[in-house]
Every structure is written in C-alpha cells, then in structure tokens.
Amino acid sequence: MLQVKTASIALRATARNVTASRILAASMSTVTEVKKITVIGSGLMGAGVVQVAAQSGYHVNMVDLKEDFLAKGEKIITSSLKRVAKKKYADDAAGSQKFIDDVMSRITLSTNSEKAAAESQLVIEAIVENLKTKQALFKALDAAAPQETIFVSNTSSLPIGDIASATSRLDRFAGLHFFNPVPQMKLVEIIRTAETSEDVFHTLATVTKKMGKVPVACKDTPGFIVNRLLVPYMMESLRLVERGDASMQDVDVAMKLGAGYPMGPFELMDYVGLDTIKFITEGWYKSGKGLVGDKLIAPSPLLERLVAEGNFGRKSGKGFYSYEGVGADKGKK
C-alpha cells in the first residue's frame, strides 16, 4: 500500500504539471486582457476569491447586498492575509504590514453590482446556490456590463448553461469552480458549455494560473469532476452505516488510514454542510443530466433526519459529530 501511495503522489504531481502546462500553452493563443475583476458575494468563497485575485495583482471589486456583509468579508480577508504575512515575513513587521496594505489597496467594496460589472473584464458570481437568484443577478449584470465582459459562476452543483440562459452572452459565460478554503486549495475547475468560446476558456485558464491555481477543464455536467466523484462516495458511506456494515467512526478511520484521505467521509460531510449535501443530491436525483433516479445519489434516511433536526455539521455545532461551537476545529465523537 505504501508503494501505491507513493506512486499516487508522484502521479498527482505529474498530472498537475501536465494539466497546467497544457491549459496555459493553449491560453497563449487568444485571451482577453483582464485588469479588473468583480466578485459578487463576500462570504467565505467570495472573500477567498477576492483575496487570491488581489494578491495576484488584479484590482478587485467585492460586491454584496449590505455594508455589514462587506465588512464581514473584509475581515475574513484581512485575517487570512495576516496568517499569510506571518509566514512570509516572520521577523519583519514592516514588510508584513506593507504586504497586507498592498493587497487591500487593490480591493474596492461596493453594494452596486451593476456599476462594478460595468468597469470589469471578468465577473465572478459566488452567491447563494439558487438558480432563480443567480439568473436574476446575471440578467441585471448582462444589461450593465460591456458585451466583451466575461461572466462566470462559482456554483458547485447547478448547470452553468441554465444560469447563462438568463443572459445574451452565452459564448462569454462559463463556470469557474474554486474550492474552500480558496487561498489554500490549488484546484480550479473551468466548466465549458457548448457555447463557451475558446477565448473565454483560454482567458480563464490564464487568470487562474496567475492566481497560483491549477486549472482543469470539464464539460457542463452535474458535479463537474470533483463533486461528481465525491458526492456518490459520501452517499455510499451513509448507506454503509445505514446497513449496519460499519460505524461512521470506523469508516472515517478506514478512509484516512487506508486511502490516505485527510478527512473521513462523515467528517467531510460535517465540514461541507449536511444541508448542502442534501440540496445537491436532491437536485441531481430529480433533474441531473444522466443522474435522474440513480441509486448513487438516492435520498438517505440518516441524512434526511439530521437535516430535519437542524443538525447541519460544523456550522450548526452538530452533525454526525458534536462540536464545541460553531466553526470548532475538532468534533466530539
């Protein structure tokens, strides 16, 4: 098993280099020059995208509905930057503060999404996972932004084509799926619809590479790459426990020590949010292309019960495991 794990690590490193090189090489042919980026949404995901974009030299508009939301997003970014600066400038307080100030100077806070989009070459949406809400937002932005502006959604579960249908720029619309926590996670999935242009794909590959990410390409299919594989794995873990084949604690230990995963499936579901898992699987089960009625993502009685009780995982203080408090790092098993 050790040899398999070592080989797997080497293969992953090679795959990252090959994939990044292939996408970046293609991106050299035709790209839109991006100087300013607008990110709609200042929660954990939105703030994370704003941070990595600003750190990479882009000027970024962070947009949300209320000033209070923006203040929370700004706090998320400054706290994260302090951690980064502490590592980069361990014994240099002045250098550390200059780094933070430089990054923050490239971030503008706004509650006017249409004005922000009008002055940007790229708009990244990172709001609530609701199709109608996303469509309404993009319809308004479509009327305000220049026709050459690229629109992308950070959705992890909704069809990109369905979101894009609210706009008149189907060729300049794509998915750009970052992973949480954005500053630490290297992967970004670029999702192409049948209408997404080569220019848009190449531009997004170039932008994400500049952000220090490793982009991979995927068609507009439910779950894209990671979640298409990960969600059925989590659902089968639930069924394993529901059948009484193993305890959730033993399943978690087995996958960490036997497969080398950083978290077991139940720890991971608590981290993601049980309500989020339920939302994704219900959507796929009812209308996901190629997944309608598939037993891979059929409803789980255990998951249904926990969500009905309001036990969503870490964010609620209790899920499969109990936590000291919302956002606590360690669960009581």
Side-chain angles (χ1 to χ4, degrees), residues 147-307:
Q147 193 57 42
E148 62 271 19
T149 298
I150 298 170
F151 286 176
V152 300
S153 174
N154 184 60
T155 182
S156 61
S157 63
L158 299 174
I160 300 300
D162 288 357
I163 302 172
S165 67
T167 75
S168 62
R169 63 185 77 208
L170 301 185
D171 62 325
R172 301 194 72 72
F173 205 113
L176 200 61
H177 183 213
F178 291 84
F179 289 78
N180 188 35
V182 179
Q184 282 78 48
M185 297 293 282
K186 286 289 188 180
L187 183 68
V188 176
E189 293 175 324
I190 302 177
I191 300 92
R192 308 176 69 168
T193 69
E195 291 82 13
T196 304
S197 72
E198 288 298 312
D199 169 61
V200 166
F201 173 72
H202 296 157
T203 299
L204 295 176
T206 300
V207 168
T208 52
K209 184 66 178 177
K210 184 177 177 180
M211 289 180 183
K213 304 302 181 185
V214 178
V216 294
C218 182
K219 290 183 178 179
D220 189 14
T221 184
F224 315 136
I225 298 174
V226 173
N227 284 334
R228 181 62 173 263
L229 297 173
L230 190 61
V231 172
Y233 153 73
M234 292 190 289
M235 296 304 289
E236 183 57 22
S237 300
L238 279 163
R239 295 186 222 293
L240 195 68
V241 170
E242 287 171 341
R243 291 194 300 266
D245 295 339
S247 70
M248 64 180 185
Q249 291 90 345
D250 284 346
V251 171
D252 276 349
V253 170
M255 293 311 294
K256 286 189 288 186
L257 301 186
Y261 287 12
M263 290 185 187
F266 292 94
E267 293 171 321
L268 180 58
M269 284 187 277
D270 271 356
Y271 182 82
V272 172
L274 307 191
D275 54 334
T276 300
I277 302 297
K278 181 176 181 291
F279 171 79
I280 291 173
T281 52
E282 280 185 349
W284 291 359
Y285 193 70
K286 294 176 182 177
S287 60
K289 183 179 179 182
L291 288 173
V292 175
D294 197 311
K295 64 181 181 180
L296 281 173
I297 37 84
S300 157
L302 176 55
L303 181 65
E304 297 274 335
R305 177 175 62 80
L306 287 171
V307 172

